[in-house]
């Protein structure tokens, strides 16, 4: 080769290297290398096709300079293109990986992988050598193309196991061995050495491109798979940390998919499949129908379902289930997925709070009874006085000379009536002191108002308060706990009485009304006391807010929560003509 | 036991208590009349009817203490027995100071009630008897002439006829005549009996503090006014 030829060859080779490097640097720098089909395809197109093609326009002049005919330009171009493309495709990936990641990529693999790589490499060298030895023996010419395919499984193996890097390394080994053995040997009987090499190059390029793409596709799939597994592990970990059990159910396949934590929450073993039966067997017998319907069944539910499960050790847990149904475009159910949340602690806290509310309400009732005790004692004393007087009168009648049996019977009748009256007072008192758990029943508001007034009877008399009741008798029924509702009425009335302490005696009056407004029963307690301080309405319902010298500030707050638990609302307002009105509404029922 | 015209007025807002107490008092032979409120009692109240009131302390409208106050304002001396379910010490002290006969707690025992009512009846009787006596003394005093009344005040002051004559500026003989007429009209023979009689109407004796000479007929005026005032008020009962 002459100097200009060498220079031109050198220049074009330099150009292809520089161009490829620039292209890789500029366009393909997304790492990791050859991890996706797309980046590998780009690499193949740019480095394996565009760059060699461009540089081949210059390279084709080298043979012309050495005396080749200009007519053969396109032949020379093709030879240049093929040799550069093969070089780029076989060496490029390895160079890039080695340059950027270094040999540690290889050494970082475990020993099995290293051994596998070495096995593939050795096998390739051996197989390729055998192929050439066989073909060089000129024995089976017609069999030759088939022999060339013998190394292909090894290349595929390498691509499958080591991705695009493996594929390119295998291609490189193949190319080196094949080209080394073909130079100087008479592999192809017909044609020149150049055409033989060209044929080899085309063969290797056509093998390299699909192998590189295959390797990167496999790599991509493997990475996606790994990513998926990681995501799943993270999700399961997060769900377990948040005490959430995840599950999914396809109506056509019984076993559920469920996280390990989900199984643990249901108290199920890790191994056997989770089926409808195993889930239901863990659920509290009373809740099975609900769970069967909403969790396993097909009914959509917006509200979360709360249910109990029995652990293998007999402990009871509260779980909350939320479910979503996935449907295809046609609206048919594909599957259902949902979460179980452990709400045992919340349930326990709720029960505790509920218990405390009951206790508090009960204590307030007890203190109300304390405040009323004087009046209640009087209520009891009256019948007792009558009983004693009647009994002693009867005694006197019996010891007297003229016994009038009719008078005697009258005295005894009165004793009985008064005794019953006294026991009614005690009954009312006992009801008020009872620490009931809120038995719900139909309550007649009219009767409730009247019985509350009877409790307050003595208080009203000694405070010189006139009362007026405006209530439709026998029609206004609400559903609730009569004890608690009476407590509310009693509290509101007592407040009214205290507010009227400084009102002129002739003005003191308490008006109680109840009326039905649509499907609500409205009850009003109207007094003529001092009213509510301007702007203080909102604070009245706060716990521990009080305007009384010796108030606890719990009365109205408890009243309000009682009314709210009965599905109603309590409000206070000032009257136009003085005093205040306490008003509450409760849902009416038809009894 | 109860006298025929003596009545127990029962005032309580509880009809069954009224009924039972009525029955109880009737076994002891008392006449009773029941009222459901203080107002109803006051409307029908006749002071001339002998009797006592048995009052509940706590009642709608006027309560027991207020009713007692009302009766006192009217200067009617009706014995009151309080009956209450919850009597406190201050309330009972107030009631007793205002002249209540007794303050009983409900439920009341027969003996206690009858004892209190009996005491009230006795008090009422004594009061009425004293009233009667006072009225008769006033009636006699009315019959005296001015001079005889004047002499009377001097006599009950323990003065001798001679002293009286000197005080009134007349002779002893004249005084003797006035004195014997006065004693006859008063229906007494001795000065001691006269003193007892005049004490019943709290008649003031002639003031011997008047050592520096006789006062003009001023004492006479005072006494006359005093007597007629008493007579009026007693008639008004």
């Amino acid at each position: 080769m002459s100097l200009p030829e060498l220079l031109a060859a050198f220049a074009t080779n330099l150009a292809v290297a520089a161009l490829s490097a620039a292209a890789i640097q500029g366009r393909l720098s997304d790492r990791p290398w050859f991890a996706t089909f797309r980046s590998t395809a780009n690499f193949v197109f740019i480095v394996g096709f565009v760059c060699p093609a461009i540089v081949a326009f210059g390279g084709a002049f080298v043979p012309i300079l050495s005396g080749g005919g200009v007519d053969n330009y396109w032949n020379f171009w093709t030879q240049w293109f093929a040799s550069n493309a093969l070089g780029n495709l076989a060496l490029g990936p390895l160079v890039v990986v080695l340059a950027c990641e270094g040999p540690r990529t290889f050494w970082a693999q475990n020993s099995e992988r290293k051994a596998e790589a070495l096995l593939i490499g050795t096998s390739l060298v051996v197989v390729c050598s055998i192929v050439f030895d066989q073909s060089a023996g000129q024995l089976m010419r017609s069999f030759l193309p088939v022999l060339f395919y013998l190394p292909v499984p090894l290349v595929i193996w390498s691509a499958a196991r080591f991705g695009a890097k493996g594929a390119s390394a295998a291609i490189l080994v193949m190319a080196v061995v094949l080209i080394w053995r073909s130079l100087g040997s008479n592999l192809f009987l017909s044609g020149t050495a150049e055409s033989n090499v060209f044929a080899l190059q085309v063969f290797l390029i056509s093998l390299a491109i699909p192998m590189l793409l295959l390797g990167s596709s496999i790599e991509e799939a493997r990475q996606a798979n790994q990513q998926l597994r990681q995501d799943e592990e993270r999700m399961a970990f997060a769900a377990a940390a948040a005490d959430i059990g995840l599950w999914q159910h396809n109506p056509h396949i019984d076993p559920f998919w469920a996280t390990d934590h989900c199984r643990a929450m249901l108290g199920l073993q890790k191994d056997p499949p989770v089926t409808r039966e195993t889930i239901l067997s863990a659920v509290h017998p009373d809740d099975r129908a609900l769970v069967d319907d909403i969790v396993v069944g097909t009914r959509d539910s917006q509200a979360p379902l709360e249910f109990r499960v029995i652990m293998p050790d007999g402990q009871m847990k509260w779980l909350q289930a939320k479910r979503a149904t996935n449907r295809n475009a046609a609206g048919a159910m594909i599957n259902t997925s949902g979460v179980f949340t452990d709400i045992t602690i919340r349930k326990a806290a709720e029960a505790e709070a509920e218990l405390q509310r009951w206790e508090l309400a009960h204590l307030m009732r007890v203190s109300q009874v304390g405040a009323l005790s004087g009046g209640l004692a009087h209520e009891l004393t009256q019948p007792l006085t009558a009983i004693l007087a009647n009994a002693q009168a009867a005694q006197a009648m019996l010891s007297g000379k003229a016994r009038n049996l009719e008078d005697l019977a009258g005295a005894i009748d009165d004793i009985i009536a008064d005794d019953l009256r006294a026991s009614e007072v005690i009954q009312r008192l006992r009801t008020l002191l009872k620490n009931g758990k809120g038995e719900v029943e139909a309550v007649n508001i009219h009767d409730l108002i009247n019985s509350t007034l009877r409790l307050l009877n003595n208080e009203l008399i000694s405070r010189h308060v006139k009362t007026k009741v405006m209530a439709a008798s026998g029609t206004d029924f609400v559903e609730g706990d009569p004890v608690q509702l009476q407590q509310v009425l009693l509290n509101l009335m007592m407040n009214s009485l205290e507010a009227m302490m400084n009102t002129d005696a002739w003005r003191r009056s308490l008006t109680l009304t109840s009326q039905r407004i649509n499907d609500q029963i409205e009850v009003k307690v109207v007094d003529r006391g001092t009213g509510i301080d301007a702007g203080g309405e909102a604070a009245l319902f706060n716990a521990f807010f009080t305007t009384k010298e010796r108030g606890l500030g719990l009365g109205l707050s408890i009243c309000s929560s009682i009314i709210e638990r009965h599905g109603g609302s309590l409000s206070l307002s000032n009257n136009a003509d003085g005093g205040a009105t306490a008003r509450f509404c409760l849902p009416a029922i038809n009894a | 036991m109860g006298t025929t015209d003596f009545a127990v007025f029962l005032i309580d807002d509880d009809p069954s208590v009224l009924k039972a107490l009525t029955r109880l008092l009737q076994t002891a032979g008392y006449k009773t009349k029941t009222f459901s409120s203080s107002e109803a009692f006051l409307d029908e109240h006749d002071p001339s009817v002998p009797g006592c009131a048995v009052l509940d302390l706590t009642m709608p409208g006027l309560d027991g203490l207020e009713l007692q106050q009302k009766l006192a304002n009217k200067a009617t001396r009706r014995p009151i027995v309080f009956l209450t379910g919850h009597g406190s010490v201050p309330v009972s002290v107030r009631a007793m100071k205002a002249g209540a006969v007794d303050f009983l707690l409900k439920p009341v025992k027969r003996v206690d009630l009858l004892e209190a009512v009996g005491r009230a009846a006795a008090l009422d009787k004594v009061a009425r008897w004293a009233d009667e006596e006072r009225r008769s003394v006033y009636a006699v005093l009315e019959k005296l002439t001015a001079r005889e009344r004047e002499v009377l005040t001097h006599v009950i002051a323990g003065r001798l006829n001679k002293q009286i004559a000197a005080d009134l500026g007349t002779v002893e003989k004249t005084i003797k005549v006035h004195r014997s007429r006065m004693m006859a009209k008063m229906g007494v023979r001795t000065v001691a009996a006269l003193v007892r009689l005049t004490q019943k109407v709290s008649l003031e004796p002639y003031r011997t503090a008047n050592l520096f000479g006789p006062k003009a007929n001023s004492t006479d005026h005072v006494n006359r006014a005093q007597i007629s005032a008493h007579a009026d008020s007693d008639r008004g009962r």
Side-chain angles (χ1 to χ4, degrees):
Chain A
M1 268 196 201
S2 64
L3 188 66
E5 274 178 72
L6 275 174
L7 284 175
F10 184 67
T12 50
N13 284 336
L14 216 61
V16 77
L19 205 58
S20 301
I24 288 168
Q25 189 93 42
R27 305 289 305 167
L28 302 170
S29 57
D30 48 338
R31 290 173 206 209
W33 301 98
F34 313 109
T36 65
F37 178 85
R38 191 188 166 78
S39 69
T40 308
N42 279 337
F43 177 86
V44 167
F45 179 67
I46 295 170
V47 177
F49 177 74
V50 177
C51 297
I54 292 168
V55 175
F57 286 114
F61 287 104
V62 176
I64 291 173
L65 284 176
S66 66
V70 182
D71 299 344
N72 287 327
Y73 179 81
W74 286 110
N75 280 338
F76 298 140
W77 182 90
T78 311
Q79 282 167 6
W80 272 96
F81 168 72
S83 55
N84 278 331
L86 179 62
N88 276 359
L89 287 175
L91 277 171
L94 278 182
V95 168
V96 167
V97 169
L98 281 173
C100 297
E101 296 171 21
R104 69 191 153 84
T105 320
F106 178 75
W107 296 117
Q109 309 286 339
N110 60 31
S111 48
E112 278 174 30
R113 299 266 293 173
K114 280 182 211 158
E116 191 179 353
L118 277 175
L119 180 66
I120 295 171
T122 318
S123 305
L124 256 179
V125 172
V126 171
V127 168
C128 287
S129 303
I130 290 171
V131 164
F132 274 88
D133 288 348
Q134 289 295 318
S135 55
Q138 307 174 8
L139 286 171
M140 299 186 283
R141 291 289 151 88
S142 57
F143 201 61
L144 187 73
V146 179
L147 279 176
F148 270 105
Y149 285 98
L150 278 176
V152 173
L154 288 167
V155 179
I156 292 174
W157 180 8
S158 184
R161 294 290 295 162
F162 299 96
K165 294 169 207 165
S168 85
I171 297 290
L172 181 65
V173 169
M174 235 180 123
V176 168
V177 174
L178 288 185
I179 290 169
W180 164 54
R181 298 300 291 244
S182 68
L183 289 174
S185 78
N186 206 357
L187 184 63
F188 305 99
L189 287 180
S190 59
T192 58
E194 283 81 4
S195 68
N196 284 347
V197 167
F198 179 67
L200 258 179
Q201 284 170 339
V202 171
F203 169 72
L204 286 171
I205 289 168
S206 59
L207 184 65
I209 291 170
M211 286 304 128
L212 276 175
L213 293 175
L214 174 71
S216 64
S217 297
I218 290 173
E219 181 76 21
E220 191 174 2
R222 189 188 298 132
Q223 296 227 331
N225 201 22
Q226 201 174 348
Q227 185 69 36
L228 193 67
R229 204 174 315 123
Q230 271 180 2
D231 283 352
E232 208 166 275
E233 274 169 20
R234 272 187 215 134
M235 184 184 67
F237 176 75
D243 213 0
I244 289 172
L246 306 176
W247 56 268
Q248 196 166 49
H249 181 230
N250 185 328
H252 307 299
I253 309 161
D254 189 37
F256 281 62
W257 169 85
T259 59
D260 289 346
H261 190 70
C262 182
R263 290 162 185 262
M265 285 170 88
L266 291 167
L268 300 177
Q269 298 292 321
K270 254 191 167 182
D271 302 323
V274 179
T275 62
R276 181 171 159 268
E277 277 70 34
T278 55
I279 289 182
L280 289 183
S281 69
V283 173
H284 191 280
D286 293 353
D287 294 346
R288 273 180 197 159
L290 266 175
V291 173
D292 197 18
D293 200 19
I294 289 176
V295 176
V296 189
T298 52
R299 197 155 68 97
D300 277 321
S301 78
Q302 299 302 318
L305 168 75
E306 292 179 356
F307 63 96
R308 290 159 289 177
V309 296
I310 308 290
M311 295 280 105
D313 60 0
Q315 216 185 334
M316 198 183 76
K317 265 210 257 181
W318 275 97
L319 296 187
Q320 188 186 56
K322 277 187 202 153
R323 195 190 77 157
T325 306
N326 304 316
R327 294 178 184 280
N328 63 18
M333 184 200 278
I334 302 165
N335 59 22
T336 55
S337 51
V339 293
F340 290 147
T341 321
D342 192 332
I343 53 165
T344 312
I345 293 168
R346 198 190 81 201
K347 278 280 174 186
E350 275 173 6
E352 179 73 16
E354 180 74 358
L355 192 69
Q356 278 174 0
R357 272 204 293 272
W358 280 109
E359 288 292 331
L360 197 58
H362 176 238
L363 281 178
M364 286 306 286
R365 282 205 297 282
V366 171
S367 85
Q368 277 178 341
V369 170
L372 289 174
S373 61
L376 288 168
H378 185 255
E379 289 291 304
L380 265 184
T381 308
Q382 292 293 78
L384 285 177
T385 307
I387 289 168
L388 187 63
N390 278 318
Q392 288 182 329
Q395 209 173 32
M397 285 175 200
L398 284 172
S399 64
K401 300 274 184 306
R403 289 179 196 169
N404 186 337
L405 284 180
E406 231 170 83
D407 284 354
L408 211 54
I412 289 168
D413 284 348
D414 285 356
I415 288 173
I416 293 168
D418 281 314
D419 198 295
L420 291 176
R421 201 176 118 204
S423 61
E424 262 175 44
V425 175
I426 292 172
Q427 191 55 46
R428 277 202 294 275
L429 193 66
R430 201 158 40 199
T431 310
L432 208 53
L433 286 173
K434 193 168 66 177
N435 191 2
K437 286 284 169 282
E439 290 90 21
V440 172
E441 55 186 76
V443 181
N444 183 331
I445 283 290
H446 181 255
D447 292 351
L448 194 73
I449 289 174
N450 280 324
S451 70
T452 313
L453 274 176
R454 276 203 294 279
L455 272 173
L456 274 174
N457 185 37
N458 200 63
E459 210 65 34
L460 292 165
I461 289 171
S462 61
R463 288 172 187 261
H464 301 281
V465 176
K466 289 181 285 294
T467 53
K468 196 156 109 187
V469 178
M470 294 193 286
S473 75
T475 56
D476 295 347
F477 279 90
V478 299
E479 199 159 47
D481 177 8
V483 178
Q484 296 206 340
L485 291 177
Q486 179 163 65
Q487 175 176 8
V488 172
L489 269 177
L490 200 56
N491 202 308
L492 297 178
M493 289 189 206
M494 291 282 275
N495 283 350
S496 289
L497 293 190
E498 282 181 39
M500 289 194 287
M501 212 130 72
N502 296 321
T503 307
D504 292 333
W506 61 269
R507 259 183 66 85
R508 289 177 204 167
S509 84
L510 189 64
T511 309
L512 293 147
T513 65
S514 94
Q515 58 174 324
R516 197 177 171 132
I517 301 173
N518 300 326
D519 54 349
Q520 299 268 310
I521 305 282
E522 184 204 55
V523 179
K524 286 200 280 194
V525 180
V526 186
D527 67 44
R528 303 177 86 172
T530 50
I532 307 155
D533 290 344
E537 292 93 336
L540 285 175
F541 293 105
N542 292 346
F544 305 116
F545 174 86
T546 184
T547 56
K548 298 173 194 167
E549 211 165 294
R550 286 200 204 161
L552 274 179
L554 286 174
L556 279 178
S557 132
I558 289 171
C559 287
S560 168
S561 77
I562 288 175
I563 293 294
E564 270 164 30
R565 257 178 293 158
H566 282 82
S569 60
L570 174 67
S571 63
L572 287 163
S573 58
N574 280 322
N575 302 330
D577 56 346
T581 295
R583 173 180 171 277
F584 62 83
C585 287
L586 292 170
I589 56 162
N590 296 312
Chain B
M1 290 286 130
T3 51
T4 44
D5 52 350
F6 181 81
V8 180
F9 303 106
L10 294 168
I11 302 136
D12 198 308
D13 58 321
D14 191 328
S16 66
V17 170
L18 286 178
K19 197 175 168 193
L21 288 177
T22 300
R23 193 175 273 134
L24 183 68
L25 288 166
Q26 276 170 353
T27 61
Y30 285 106
K31 280 201 297 188
T32 57
K33 199 158 165 47
T34 60
F35 303 91
S36 62
S37 72
S38 306
E39 287 84 352
F41 171 71
L42 280 174
D43 284 349
E44 282 186 39
H45 188 234
D46 178 3
S48 66
V49 178
C52 72
V54 175
L55 284 188
D56 188 13
L57 202 62
T58 335
M59 282 184 291
L62 284 181
D63 66 23
L65 285 174
E66 286 166 332
L67 176 58
Q68 188 186 28
Q69 195 62 46
K70 273 261 158 73
L71 287 174
N73 289 347
K74 286 194 169 183
T76 45
R77 210 178 296 131
R78 173 73 71 200
I80 293 173
V81 174
F82 277 101
L83 206 52
T84 177
H86 47 100
S88 63
V89 172
V91 173
S92 58
V93 167
R94 255 181 76 195
M96 296 305 284
K97 269 188 169 173
V101 175
D102 214 337
F103 194 91
L104 299 174
L105 286 181
K106 283 180 178 176
V108 66
K109 281 190 232 157
R110 185 172 188 261
V111 275
D112 296 339
L113 181 64
L114 291 184
E115 191 268 331
V117 169
R119 208 138 41 79
L123 278 171
D124 189 60
K125 204 169 164 187
V126 168
R128 277 171 205 285
W129 184 67
D131 279 354
E132 200 57 44
E133 223 171 19
R134 252 199 322 272
R135 252 198 298 280
S136 65
V137 175
Y138 283 129
V140 178
L141 285 173
E142 284 287 300
K143 286 178 192 154
L144 300 182
T145 64
R147 190 50 116 183
E148 281 165 359
R149 216 175 289 144
E150 214 169 357
V151 171
L152 182 141
T153 59
H154 282 82
V155 171
I156 60 172
R159 297 178 76 81
L160 303 171
N161 289 345
K162 197 160 52 179
Q163 290 171 307
I164 300 169
D167 284 348
L168 297 180
T170 181
V171 293
E172 198 181 347
K173 206 167 180 180
T174 321
I175 293 302
K176 253 182 181 167
V177 173
H178 282 310
R179 183 176 180 152
S180 64
R181 263 195 219 133
M182 181 269 287
M183 296 289 270
K185 277 182 183 170
M186 293 299 286
V188 292
R189 286 164 184 265
T190 62
V191 174
L194 181 70
V195 168
R196 264 211 313 282
L197 213 55
T198 53
Q199 255 181 353
K200 279 177 181 155
V201 292
S202 316
L203 196 67
E204 287 283 314
Y206 175 76
R207 292 192 183 277
T208 49
N210 211 346
L211 290 171
F212 306 105
K215 278 264 152 93
N217 292 330
S218 58
T219 17
D220 183 53
H221 279 302
V222 169
N223 281 337
R224 187 193 289 275
Q226 219 173 3
I227 288 160
S228 54
H230 274 299
D232 286 349
S233 83
D234 270 17
R235 266 196 302 277
R237 275 167 153 249

